[in-house]
Amino acid sequence: MGFILAIHGGAGTIRRATMTPELESGYHAGLCAALKAGHAVLAAGGPALDATIAAVMAMEDNPLFNAGRGAVYTSAGKLEMDAAVMEGRERRAGAVAGICGPRNPVLAARAVMEHSDHELLGGAGAMAFLNTQDIVFEAPEYFATERRWKALQTELERRRMGAMTEADDSTRHGTVGAVACDAQGNLAASTSTGGMTGKLPGRVGDSPQIGSGTFADNGSCAVSCTGVGELFVRYCAAHEISARMRFLGEGLEAAADKVVTDLAPVGGNGGLVAVDAAGTVAMPFNCAGMYRGRIGEDGVAWTAIYREELRADRG
Ligand code: ASP
């Protein structure tokens, strides 16, 4: 059977006014690079989990995306990253919350899954565990970007002014994620984020919470979410799609659309990428845009940002 990979690089009110042609092509190029990294794994017969991790790593390394290098700042001006991985065959999962150090937080999540007895590790304890693992660490400066620092200053100023102006989602949040169905029909999902600009120190979003921002089960779907994490947690967004498929018999697209549509009126601005074992892909979002893309066996990378059709990689 064929394989498929879908990714997102965050969703929200991505304003065309603040988007330059250079930035826009930078995002398309970043998405393409991530799709190709995942595709290389799947084309070599690799598992869905490895493909999603490869795609997420490419976006973590790219400062345009809010994950790894280029992560957003807490209200205290620090970086606290969250990530999760899950594979759908045995529902094994691993996650980290509130860490800063591993170059690729998604690999930290994988280490928790593969080398600890636990599913989620956070803060200082997570760092102590990760220091025993064979993963690459970076100094805080590696992750720091001027753009995210400015976004924090803008957000803090907005709050000082009584939050009268609208927050700019394009600089405030974001997340990267990938879902895949490999040639064996196994599903997987990986998600990684810096969270939300100006979040309270210690705040943990939906991304590392299995069933909220990340979920995979071969019997239904693999899902990676992006958006206002608190709402995705309260509505158990990723698992809800799986539940609708299993209990209501809905198809992937109908279930994913329903969950994303229902999140909008309660303030759950965002979207997700999802895939099922038949290779169906859903990429719904309830806001202005979502950096997103997909790639199948033919190796053609398809990407989009706004509500336009996906466009084929012309690079
Ligand atoms: N869901 C992420 C969080 O709440 C942020 C985002 O995806 O925009 O941490």
Side-chain angles (χ1 to χ4, degrees):
M1 83 166 258
F3 59 76
I4 185 92
L5 171 81
I7 63 171
H8 68 74
T13 312
I14 302 168
R15 294 196 182 137
R16 281 191 193 267
T18 57
M19 179 68 85
T20 62
E22 293 74 36
L23 202 52
E24 191 161 341
S25 53
Y27 275 112
H28 280 289
L31 291 168
C32 278
L35 288 167
K36 300 253 165 153
H39 179 269
V41 174
L42 293 168
L49 181 68
D50 291 6
T52 60
I53 289 174
V56 164
M57 284 175 69
M59 291 186 279
E60 287 179 335
D61 292 344
N62 184 336
L64 281 181
F65 300 102
N66 171 20
R69 187 176 211 183
V72 301
Y73 290 92
T74 67
S75 59
K78 297 274 189 277
L79 298 166
E80 295 182 3
M81 301 170 211
D82 302 335
V85 299
M86 184 164 187
E87 61 82 29
R89 192 159 58 97
E90 296 174 28
R91 287 205 189 192
R92 292 191 310 142
V96 287
I99 62 158
C100 183
R103 180 193 293 202
N104 293 107
V106 72
L107 292 181
R110 178 179 211 152
V112 171
M113 178 177 94
E114 291 181 344
H115 303 301
S116 85
D117 294 333
H118 308 297
E119 180 273 320
L120 169 62
L121 291 178
M127 290 301 289
F129 166 76
L130 295 168
N131 273 309
T132 69
Q133 299 297 301
D134 185 20
I135 48 181
V136 177
F137 280 70
E138 298 287 354
E141 304 80 66
Y142 166 84
F143 303 100
T145 53
E146 180 73 24
R147 177 174 175 230
R148 300 301 188 191
W149 184 254
K150 279 197 188 137
L152 174 64
Q153 305 317 314
T154 305
E155 175 58 15
L156 294 179
E157 180 59 17
R158 192 181 74 87
R159 290 178 192 178
R160 273 194 291 274
M161 303 300 285
M164 297 298 279
T165 55
E166 208 191 316
D168 185 347
D169 284 352
S170 62
T171 54
R172 241 195 113 206
H173 60 91
T175 283
V176 307
V179 292
C181 174
D182 64 27
Q184 282 70 47
N186 289 313
L187 305 183
S190 296
T191 312
S192 179
T193 190
M196 317 260 297
T197 300
K199 66 184 181 181
L200 271 184
R203 178 264 188 186
V204 176
D206 58 316
S207 310
Q209 300 198 52
I210 297 302
S212 296
T214 307
F215 187 71
D217 165 37
N218 275 7
S220 52
C221 58
V223 183
S224 173
C225 301
T226 173
V228 181
E230 282 68 13
L231 273 300
F232 282 71
V233 171
R234 284 162 50 194
Y235 285 77
C236 303
H239 182 266
E240 187 75 358
I241 297 170
S242 167
R244 295 190 72 90
M245 292 173 74
R246 287 181 291 131
F247 303 137
L248 296 178
E250 286 182 356
L252 178 79
E253 284 166 298
D257 272 348
K258 173 74 177 151
V259 168
V260 167
T261 303
D262 285 357
L263 276 166
V266 293
N269 190 333
L272 56 88
V273 291
V275 66
D276 68 15
T280 314
V281 168
M283 297 192 275
F285 54 98
N286 60 26
C287 42
M290 178 168 78
Y291 303 104
R292 62 197 186 279
R294 59 182 287 167
I295 193 164
E297 265 183 307
D298 62 6
V300 179
W302 295 85
T303 60
I305 298 177
Y306 302 100
R307 289 214 170 267
E308 78 275 24
E309 293 289 310
L310 295 162
R311 71 177 209 196
D313 170 27
R314 294 174 211 122

